[in-house]
Amino acid sequence: MNVKLFIGSLVMMFYLGSCTSEIEVHFDKIPEKIVLNAILHPDSLITAHVSHSIQVGEDISTSYLNDAVVEVSINGIPQGRMERAEDNGFYRLPGMFPKAGDRIRMDVSSPEYEAASSEVVFPGKVDILSVDTTSNVHLSDWLTRDIRLQVRFKDPPAEKNYYLLAIIPETIEIEGGKESSYSSYVSVNLKEEIIFENNRQTPEGWDYSESSNRGIFRDEQISGQEYTLKVTVERCSYSTETERGSITNKLKIRLYSVSDSFYRYQLSYMRKEDADNNFGNSGLKEPVQLYSNIENGYGLFTGIQMSEYEIVLPFQGN
């Protein structure tokens, strides 16, 4: 790969000349490997996406591997070969759903690439026991309010557990008898809850990832205990009545129990977001390597379970 870097002229007082230099820079081609991505859910068939890595500037649609052999074993017992679902790299294992505690392994081979593999232990579900709320009208905007959430759950004992808390807003609009729903971004203040590992302390004080509608954490400090997560959802809009219907705003509080690979990937992704947001393309940021748990390849093989609690935001005037 040749990259031509042009160094422009420097114009100095009493110096009117200029010069242009052309420098050729050679980058080694990165060896192509199998890319395996699979996020397992308890109510979905075991599904995987298989492709190969590509060089910068190449079309990702040319990377799908439709001739791969993907074999699955659960707790050391072979479960068979996954079937190709579509011509875009997706494979499924019919009739198989992951269960808590299952040790699931995938082995992937393709004629042109070195075989790759990965293994994950599927996590158990952890229920949200209760959600308490208090709210205050936002000081700079009386049409919105800040809502403080206290989310209580119990961590299973005698095992390492990993979690992600996500706050998802949903708006349901009814107009003329027709109903529509959509989601939008919401800002969640994570500063109060020090257990979140995407909180970080800087010399100027607490800062947190732009992915601030979610917090990632592990049970190292709370193993086997009941614990209450405390976060504040900022500038929530009231539900409102309209001339032709209503607009109902909700918050979905989701507690995901996740495998360690998901936890590690999320941490690396949030750190990359922080670097991008703080330094952009300035050239000052340190490169952040996204986590991968694929042996002899790239990608992520992981599992998640979810518990959800929903609250409806009050109508204006209530």
Side-chain angles (χ1 to χ4, degrees):
M1 180 186 300
N2 295 330
V3 179
K4 296 181 179 180
L5 304 176
F6 295 97
I7 304 176
S9 61
L10 300 177
V11 180
M12 304 175 63
M13 187 177 298
F14 307 117
Y15 181 69
L16 302 179
S18 65
C19 62
T20 301
S21 297
E22 184 177 291
I23 304 174
E24 290 190 354
V25 181
H26 299 274
F27 293 98
D28 292 333
K29 186 176 181 180
I30 300 175
E32 292 183 353
K33 293 186 176 183
I34 286 175
V35 179
L36 168 65
N37 285 298
I39 301 180
L40 306 183
H41 303 260
D43 54 354
S44 300
L45 292 174
I46 293 177
T47 302
H49 186 267
V50 183
S51 59
H52 65 80
S53 57
I54 59 175
Q55 306 298 318
V56 175
E58 292 183 356
D59 185 356
I60 192 172
S61 65
T62 64
S63 69
Y64 305 146
L65 291 180
N66 296 312
D67 61 350
V69 174
V70 186
E71 296 181 310
V72 177
S73 63
I74 299 178
N75 301 322
I77 302 173
Q79 303 296 318
R81 183 177 296 182
M82 299 182 77
E83 297 179 354
R84 191 176 75 187
E86 304 167 27
D87 289 332
N88 56 4
F90 280 99
Y91 295 79
R92 294 188 180 93
L93 188 63
M96 295 301 300
F97 297 85
K99 300 187 298 296
D102 280 348
R103 183 175 293 275
I104 305 170
R105 179 181 174 87
M106 284 189 184
D107 291 278
V108 185
S109 60
S110 182
E112 298 180 23
Y113 303 96
E114 183 179 1
S117 63
S118 189
E119 189 173 273
V120 67
V121 176
F122 194 69
K125 182 180 178 182
V126 175
D127 291 323
I128 295 174
L129 301 178
S130 66
V131 176
D132 293 329
T133 64
T134 54
S135 65
N136 294 296
V137 174
H138 198 280
L139 295 177
S140 63
D141 184 358
W142 64 274
L143 292 176
T144 65
R145 60 174 64 190
D146 294 340
I147 298 180
R148 187 172 186 266
L149 303 174
Q150 297 187 73
V151 183
R152 187 170 63 92
F153 70 100
K154 188 177 190 309
D155 178 72
E159 58 186 75
K160 290 184 178 180
N161 298 296
Y162 303 87
Y163 300 96
L164 184 139
L165 179 74
I167 312 297
I168 311 297
E170 182 182 31
T171 297
I172 298 176
E173 188 170 345
I174 299 176
E175 184 173 352
K178 295 182 179 180
E179 180 178 310
S180 59
S181 64
Y182 54 90
S183 293
S184 59
Y185 177 79
V186 66
S187 178
V188 182
N189 189 330
L190 305 176
K191 295 179 184 179
E192 182 180 2
E193 187 50 75
I194 61 173
I195 200 172
F196 290 135
E197 296 193 40
N198 51 310
N199 274 341
R200 58 189 182 88
Q201 194 170 19
T202 67
E204 295 77 27
W206 282 103
D207 193 7
Y208 51 94
S209 169
E210 286 297 315
S211 305
S212 56
N213 68 328
R214 64 187 190 268
I216 189 84
F217 63 102
R218 52 184 169 172
D219 70 345
E220 190 173 50
Q221 303 176 49
I222 60 169
S223 181
Q225 304 174 36
E226 278 195 11
Y227 189 77
T228 300
L229 298 165
K230 296 171 287 294
V231 298
T232 298
V233 187
E234 298 178 332
R235 302 178 72 92
C236 294
S237 297
Y238 289 87
S239 297
T240 57
E241 299 285 355
T242 65
E243 292 182 359
R244 301 185 60 189
S246 64
I247 298 175
T248 303
N249 291 310
K250 299 180 178 181
L251 291 177
K252 294 183 176 181
I253 298 97
R254 293 176 177 173
L255 181 64
Y256 294 91
S257 47
V258 303
S259 60
D260 65 333
S261 54
F262 186 93
Y263 163 84
R264 295 175 189 275
Y265 173 80
Q266 280 290 314
L267 276 184
S268 68
Y269 183 80
M270 289 173 176
R271 287 168 183 153
K272 181 180 184 302
E273 279 190 326
D274 268 348
D276 291 343
N277 291 327
N278 290 329
F279 297 104
N281 296 318
S282 66
L284 300 176
K285 65 182 179 182
E286 291 288 334
V288 178
Q289 181 69 45
L290 289 178
Y291 173 81
S292 171
N293 66 335
I294 309 302
E295 186 177 351
N296 295 325
Y298 304 111
L300 181 69
F301 182 37
T302 189
I304 63 174
Q305 295 228 45
M306 181 188 76
S307 174
E308 183 176 272
Y309 191 101
E310 184 179 281
I311 62 174
V312 178
L313 300 181
F315 282 79
Q316 192 170 346
N318 294 345

